[in-house]
Amino acid sequence: MDHPDIERTMLTGYPKPEYLDYERHARQCDVCKAGMNEGYLLETSGDCYCSSDCTAKDLPEMDELLQDGTLFWTDWYYEI
Ligand SMILES: [Zn+2]
């Protein structure tokens, strides 16, 4: 690791879009913009969220969506 900006990015968890390539993140959280390779996916819109906290901010009805299978936890390692 010899790129100070990437180190800072990893510490804060809020990578700039141009750094996502370096870190090889397949997706970006729609709420906090953190790069991620696994998280919640809302099937109907394709929106992704890194954590249940972020999901709940965007989707107050998160529990119902999880129950009916519209929202689920997945990963995108196969894309990187
Ligand atoms: Zn997030």
Side-chain angles (χ1 to χ4, degrees), residues 11-23:
L11 285 173
T12 60
Y14 293 88
K16 295 181 177 180
E18 59 264 35
Y19 297 153
L20 291 176
D21 219 10
Y22 287 95
E23 297 191 347

Side-chain angles (χ1 to χ4, degrees), residues 8 15 24 31 42 54 57-58 60-61 63 66 69-70 73 80:
R8 185 178 50 76
R24 299 176 65 79
V31 173
L42 182 62
C54 281
K57 276 181 196 159
D58 221 26
E61 72 279 34
D63 286 345
L66 279 171
T70 313
W73 183 266
I80 59 175

